[in-house]
Amino acid sequence: MNISYNWLKEYIDLPLTPEETAAALTSIGLETGGIEEVESIRGGLKGLVVGKVLTCVPHPDSDHLHVTTVDLGGGVPQQIVCGAPNVAENQKVIVATIGTVLYSGDETFTIKKSKIRGQESNGMICAEDEIGVGTSHDGIIVLPDSAKIGTPACEYYKLESDYVLEVDITPNRIDAASHFGVARDLAAYLANQKQQTWAVKKPSVDNFKIDDPSPAVTVTVENTEACPRYSGITVKNVQVKESPEWLRRRLEAIGVRSINNIVDITNYILHETGQPLHAFDLREIIDNQVIVKPLPEGTKFTTLDEVERTLSDRDLMICNREGGMCIGGVFGGLASGVKDSTTDVFLESACFNPTWIRKTARRHGLNTDASFRFERGVDPNNTVYVLKRAAMLVKELAGGQITGPIQDIYPNPVQNAKVELSIHKVWSLIGKNIPVATIENILKSLEINILHKNEQGWTLEIPAYRVDVTRDVDVIEDILRIYGYNNVETGETLKSNLSYQTDTDLAYKLQNLISEQLTGYGFYEILNNSLTASAYYEPLSVWPKQQCVALANPQSAELDVMRQSLLFGGLESIQFNRNHKNPDLHLYEFGNVYSFLPDKAQDDNQFAAIREEFHLALWLTGSNAENSWLRPAEKTSVFELKALVENVLLRLGIASKKVVYKTYSDEIFTAALSIETHSGRKLGVMGTLQKPLLKRFDIGAEVYFAELCWDALMKEHRNASVKQQEIARFPAVRRDLALLIDKKTAFADIEKIALQTDKKLLREVSLFDVYEGKNLPEGKKSYAVAFILQDEDKTLNDKQIESVMSRIQKNLEDKLGATLR
């Protein structure tokens, strides 16, 4: 959630800088992930100063240019060539000095020292549109005589930058999902830090009044379980138009797009108070009657995004006499929203049942600012205040008359919760005897009332907006976060257990071993969510979507199934890193994958059809090393991936002779190898990912991927045996062959035939050069292959060596059509 620093200061006298505010919020449980400066004018008018035109004469070689000298307050006047028709002596003007960057849309322009038709120019005298303070280009800006020479333009225009704090709200702290809510928490923090009362300034609605008492819209709530409270008011004769600049800037600073003054007011109030609002076009409320109820199962309804949705009879709808107008608390309808032609509006401020809203939002795959708050619980006792605040803003910014009495359906008012608190329990859980007076002050700053005190404890009244505080431990947590976690000292005694227990889990030990190995190779370990989007699996036959383990109540459409592969989480990580200018990546992840096998399902146990496996995945992309004086940058390759996989297998005791690599390709891989044992057990896959797949993640570089089944590797590891032998006493001999072969022939074929030809003396076959290009027959390539021969009992002679090499050469010719170059 984005919080505007300047907006925040409207509700609290804040003596903290943006950085100090972020640190304070983090210390009280509202973790602030980042601070971003937001300039009201792009560039902040940096490099622009107030100057005075001392002289102004016509340019000798132009009929419209003027040569001026301008005093910028630096002592030496600067000559500037200006083409504006209204430039004249003794004017106070805005000057862009050399090096200043000016902005025009997405383009930038840097002011440089130059010659214009032979006359030197050391800057630029600016018009309104050139620096972003207006739209006029009729001439340069002429300032009043009171403007002081040398004053930076940002000071002259009283330009104020804003700072946006990225606050991560935990699910239980919905009371802080607004600027006023954050200000309220900061006031409690400051009151404890400064040891004095620190007030929050809540906007007043004391001047609210009904302009026209004649009846307007009436409201009927048929389902009070789904809608405990519904409030509304009518405002007639409004003018829908563009919002004023202050309102647009407030919304744009936190990333909300301005639409029109009415809609912007509802968004402003939402982010001010945390209470969602909705504005209806009164023309769409048939017979001026609003009915809150579910519609029959299967009813069709078109929402604001022009999508026709099929409703459930558990979706709460805001209806008129003829049908639905809005999915209550989730999303507006296409027909009933405010349009440019709207003249009368009905404002809704309601409290909906969190369970109803959450299930409706998940059913339709919607996640809106309103549903986010209603799902977690809004203050039911705040709807009328917010409604008055909104109606007053509408009247101020759009005109009109507030008509008819406020409609407020609240059959079962929510009472403030009562909690019993023991001071001794506070001390016990916190681990420190905080002074009772300090606890009282913290509770007071949190607007928690102490109704009664006795020896057993205190009776507290919790405000209704704190939906997360229902037990004494919740109150203690609040006391501790305001008091400060860092203020609880570490005790002078230490309790420990001297026994030491080793971890005997072999798979876990080997996982750590491989992690250390990969880290040593320069890899970074990642940890992704095991929940993912079913959309990733829709076009795939490798991992069919119907084999995804679906969630019964997903949080969103992006997290609706369990992952069948580690692939997509890694691609999301690569996309994130590349977007942050980090393209060279070596990543690995250990994690579970899940698949649903319908043929194994049982009537009484659907979980029997779910297969869970533990996998290891590796991703390579970008370069191995950055370009430097020592060596140029070197791109990663699929061969590097294969070597890394083989090293992992070797570290687990699975020698290369025990596995078989089979080539294939599918919708995931352009070219791939399936890694299997001789008995047919599949250990994993590796290869080069398809470009269309990478394009879905906006990745414009090759990515090499391997995924190994750790469970299968552990079975092979248990069967692995360690053998030892003496170091050979007699030297090995190397012979090389340059072979001309078909392009389709793989080195594995050559290696297999060679090893089958001689099993006694031939120890190793390796490929050390590949050539495809000029001076070769069409469809051919050249392999340079090294053969290592060795006898354990004696030194090889030329006759033995030639015999083995002749047989190898002949078999390669007969079986592969290979010839010597």
Side-chain angles (χ1 to χ4, degrees):
M1 181 185 71
N2 290 334
I3 293 293
S4 161
Y5 177 73
N6 289 345
W7 190 350
L8 194 63
K9 291 192 293 183
E10 292 184 7
Y11 312 111
I12 182 172
D13 293 326
L14 199 56
L16 307 176
T17 65
E19 292 75 17
E20 291 170 337
T21 302
L25 290 174
T26 299
S27 73
I28 58 176
L30 303 178
E31 184 177 356
T32 303
I35 305 173
E36 180 183 354
E37 183 177 0
V38 178
E39 297 170 328
S40 54
I41 295 178
R42 190 179 177 192
L45 301 183
K46 293 172 185 172
L48 296 160
V49 297
V50 175
K52 181 178 181 180
V53 180
L54 302 178
T55 65
C56 178
V57 297
H59 193 292
D61 295 323
S62 172
D63 57 358
H64 68 282
L65 297 176
H66 293 83
V67 180
T68 67
T69 54
V70 183
D71 181 5
L72 302 178
V76 180
Q78 298 294 320
Q79 179 171 295
I80 298 175
V81 177
C82 180
N86 64 327
V87 64
E89 289 183 8
N90 296 320
Q91 288 177 335
K92 297 285 183 70
V93 294
I94 296 292
V95 178
T97 58
I98 292 174
T100 300
V101 178
L102 300 180
Y103 300 87
S104 177
D106 294 331
E107 297 180 356
T108 60
F109 175 69
T110 302
I111 302 299
K112 300 177 182 178
K113 184 176 182 179
S114 61
K115 281 192 175 183
I116 301 176
R117 296 196 180 182
Q119 295 295 315
E120 187 176 280
S121 184
N122 298 307
M124 174 177 157
I125 304 176
C126 301
E128 284 184 358
D129 64 331
E130 292 169 334
I131 63 173
V133 298
T135 58
S136 173
H137 195 71
D138 296 336
I140 60 170
I141 303 168
V142 179
L143 304 177
D145 291 337
S146 59
K148 186 177 178 181
I149 299 171
T151 302
C154 60
E155 291 183 15
Y156 177 80
Y157 285 104
K158 298 180 181 177
L159 204 62
E160 184 181 30
S161 290
D162 196 0
Y163 296 86
V164 174
L165 311 179
E166 186 181 336
V167 180
D168 297 326
I169 300 294
T170 54
N172 63 315
R173 289 303 313 280
I174 194 61
D175 63 290
S178 65
H179 285 74
F180 187 79
V182 171
R184 190 165 48 201
D185 252 24
L186 276 174
Y189 167 84
L190 290 168
N192 182 63
Q193 293 293 313
K194 307 293 185 181
Q195 294 298 307
Q196 65 183 73
T197 302
W198 212 277
V200 284
K201 295 174 282 188
K202 191 173 185 177
S204 173
V205 294
D206 292 343
N207 294 328
F208 174 85
K209 66 174 184 177
I210 304 295
D211 298 313
D212 181 359
S214 59
V217 172
T218 59
V219 175
T220 303
V221 178
E222 295 187 3
N223 190 325
T224 55
E225 176 204 351
C227 180
R229 187 175 191 180
Y230 191 97
S231 308
I233 191 70
T234 303
V235 185
K236 291 186 175 182
N237 301 317
V238 300
Q239 183 181 1
V240 178
K241 57 185 178 180
E242 185 181 39
S243 295
E245 184 179 3
W246 70 265
L247 179 53
R248 294 199 311 273
R249 285 188 175 177
R250 282 283 181 260
L251 295 177
E252 289 167 0
I254 61 172
V256 178
R257 181 174 60 90
S258 174
I259 298 174
N260 59 53
N261 54 350
I262 303 297
V263 175
D264 288 355
I265 287 169
T266 63
N267 286 329
Y268 178 82
I269 296 292
L270 166 72
H271 291 282
E272 178 185 61
T273 66
Q275 170 66 48
L277 297 173
H278 191 72
F280 294 91
D281 188 333
L282 192 62
R283 293 174 299 186
E284 302 300 327
I285 302 179
I286 308 301
D287 294 338
N288 287 342
Q289 293 187 36
V290 169
I291 306 166
V292 183
K293 64 178 181 178
L295 291 175
E297 182 79 31
T299 301
K300 303 295 183 182
F301 180 71
T302 303
T303 46
L304 272 173
D305 55 359
E306 301 183 6
V307 174
E308 185 180 72
R309 303 180 187 276
T310 302
L311 300 177
S312 162
D313 59 3
R314 299 290 291 176
D315 293 334
L316 186 67
M317 298 294 294
I318 313 302
C319 309
N320 57 32
R321 287 181 62 84
E322 296 181 358
M325 298 187 295
C326 170
I327 302 178
V330 179
F331 210 25
L334 182 62
S336 62
V338 173
K339 300 170 275 292
D340 291 344
S341 59
T342 299
T343 56
D344 304 325
V345 295
F346 176 73
L347 299 177
E348 166 197 282
S349 176
C351 176
F352 297 113
N353 185 303
T355 303
W356 277 68
I357 300 304
R358 182 171 60 253
K359 290 184 176 181
T360 292
R362 300 299 173 268
R363 256 193 301 272
H364 297 288
L366 294 169
N367 184 22
T368 62
D369 284 336
S371 68
F372 175 84
R373 287 160 175 81
F374 282 128
E375 287 174 24
R376 289 157 176 81
V378 300
D379 182 3
N381 295 329
N382 201 39
T383 60
V384 171
Y385 163 80
V386 171
L387 195 66
K388 291 179 178 179
R389 170 90 169 126
M392 290 172 68
L393 273 177
V394 169
K395 187 175 178 180
E396 177 186 342
L397 303 182
Q401 296 84 42
I402 300 174
T403 305
I406 291 177
Q407 297 293 301
D408 185 27
I409 312 300
Y410 197 15
N412 302 302
V414 175
Q415 303 299 319
N416 290 338
K418 305 293 191 299
V419 171
E420 298 295 328
L421 181 69
S422 164
I423 296 300
H424 291 287
K425 188 172 183 178
V426 174
W427 292 340
S428 174
L429 289 185
I430 291 178
K432 181 178 180 179
N433 290 358
I434 301 173
V436 173
T438 300
I439 295 175
E440 287 191 51
N441 289 334
I442 291 175
L443 293 175
K444 182 179 178 181
S445 68
L446 290 170
E447 300 181 1
I448 296 175
N449 295 325
I450 302 174
L451 300 179
H452 179 69
K453 295 181 183 179
N454 56 36
E455 294 180 359
Q456 287 72 37
W458 297 352
T459 301
L460 307 179
E461 182 183 43
I462 312 300
Y465 63 79
R466 289 304 304 273
V467 295
D468 61 314
V469 180
T470 58
R471 305 166 299 168
D472 57 352
V473 289
D474 299 326
V475 176
I476 295 170
E477 181 185 1
D478 262 5
I479 293 170
L480 177 56
R481 69 183 182 86
I482 299 301
Y483 180 73
Y485 296 98
N486 294 334
N487 292 326
V488 180
E489 300 85 0
T490 302
E492 295 180 355
T493 60
L494 175 65
K495 297 179 181 180
S496 65
N497 190 334
L498 297 180
S499 65
Y500 177 74
Q501 184 177 357
T502 60
D503 187 354
T504 58
D505 186 347
L506 177 62
Y508 182 71
K509 285 183 176 180
L510 291 173
Q511 180 183 336
N512 284 336
L513 188 69
I514 297 302
S515 293
E516 291 173 0
Q517 177 177 326
L518 292 172
T519 302
Y521 288 147
F523 276 75
Y524 288 93
E525 184 173 9
I526 59 175
L527 183 63
N528 288 300
N529 198 335
S530 57
L531 302 180
T532 188
S534 59
Y536 288 151
Y537 299 94
E538 284 181 352
L540 302 179
S541 59
V542 180
W543 302 300
K545 183 179 178 181
Q546 57 267 29
Q547 289 188 9
C548 288
V549 179
L551 272 66
N553 187 24
Q555 292 183 351
S556 68
E558 288 73 33
L559 299 171
D560 61 337
V561 297
M562 307 292 283
R563 62 187 177 190
Q564 291 193 59
S565 167
L566 302 178
L567 170 63
F568 300 111
L571 291 180
E572 289 173 351
S573 298
I574 291 173
Q575 178 188 35
F576 179 85
N577 277 273
R578 285 177 57 85
N579 289 344
H580 288 76
K581 309 301 181 185
N582 184 23
D584 304 325
L585 300 167
H586 286 54
L587 307 175
Y588 75 94
E589 179 180 12
F590 284 97
N592 289 315
V593 297
Y594 311 83
S595 55
F596 181 76
L597 307 176
D599 56 322
K600 294 188 177 181
Q602 301 173 9
D603 293 337
D604 59 341
N605 184 11
Q606 289 294 312
F607 292 104
I610 297 177
R611 180 178 64 192
E612 179 179 354
E613 293 180 341
F614 195 62
H615 282 197
L616 165 64
L618 291 81
W619 295 262
L620 299 182
T621 185
S623 299
N624 269 327
E626 293 183 0
N627 190 27
S628 70
W629 64 270
L630 187 61
R631 63 174 180 175
E634 180 182 339
K635 293 289 186 182
T636 57
S637 70
V638 72
F639 303 106
E640 179 189 355
L641 177 67
K642 184 172 184 288
L644 290 163
V645 170
E646 288 179 338
N647 285 339
V648 169
L649 297 179
L650 190 61
R651 195 72 177 86
L652 295 173
I654 306 171
S656 58
K657 294 180 180 179
K658 295 183 179 180
V659 298
V660 178
Y661 297 97
K662 297 181 180 180
T663 60
Y664 76 99
S665 62
D666 55 21
E667 62 263 81
I668 299 296
F669 293 106
T670 301
L673 293 175
S674 175
I675 310 168
E676 303 175 8
T677 64
H678 290 287
S679 62
R681 175 181 289 159
K682 190 169 182 179
L683 303 179
V685 295
M686 61 180 170
T688 305
L689 293 178
Q690 292 268 13
K691 282 184 168 50
L693 173 64
L694 299 177
K695 189 175 181 181
R696 293 172 62 185
F697 292 85
D698 196 25
I699 299 174
E702 293 281 10
V703 177
Y704 309 103
F705 171 70
E707 186 163 13
L708 306 175
C709 179
W710 189 255
D711 299 329
L713 293 179
M714 290 301 95
K715 291 178 182 178
E716 289 302 310
H717 172 79
R718 294 186 191 99
N719 298 329
S721 59
V722 178
K723 296 180 180 180
Q724 62 181 26
Q725 63 182 35
E726 292 184 7
I727 297 175
R729 292 177 297 164
F730 301 96
V733 176
R734 169 172 167 163
R735 290 290 184 269
D736 297 341
L737 293 180
L739 301 172
L740 191 65
I741 56 176
D742 291 338
K743 283 189 174 182
K744 294 182 179 180
T745 302
F747 169 70
D749 299 327
I750 296 174
E751 182 182 33
K752 182 179 179 181
I753 292 170
L755 292 173
Q756 288 175 345
T757 301
D758 187 278
K759 299 181 180 179
K760 181 180 179 182
L761 301 180
L762 185 60
R763 295 285 180 263
E764 183 182 341
V765 183
S766 61
L767 177 68
F768 65 89
D769 190 34
V770 177
Y771 176 73
E772 296 182 54
K774 295 180 180 179
N775 303 323
L776 291 182
E778 187 176 351
K780 296 290 185 179
K781 62 182 176 182
S782 175
Y783 272 4
V785 184
F787 300 85
I788 306 297
L789 297 92
Q790 189 177 43
D791 194 324
E792 296 178 357
D793 300 323
K794 61 180 182 296
T795 301
L796 292 173
N797 56 44
D798 290 342
K799 184 176 180 181
Q800 291 174 301
I801 296 170
E802 291 305 322
S803 174
V804 173
M805 294 304 299
S806 297
R807 285 186 288 118
I808 291 174
Q809 181 179 338
K810 185 175 186 308
N811 283 341
L812 292 175
E813 290 176 355
D814 294 343
K815 296 180 180 181
L816 298 179
T819 59
L820 294 180
R821 284 190 67 191

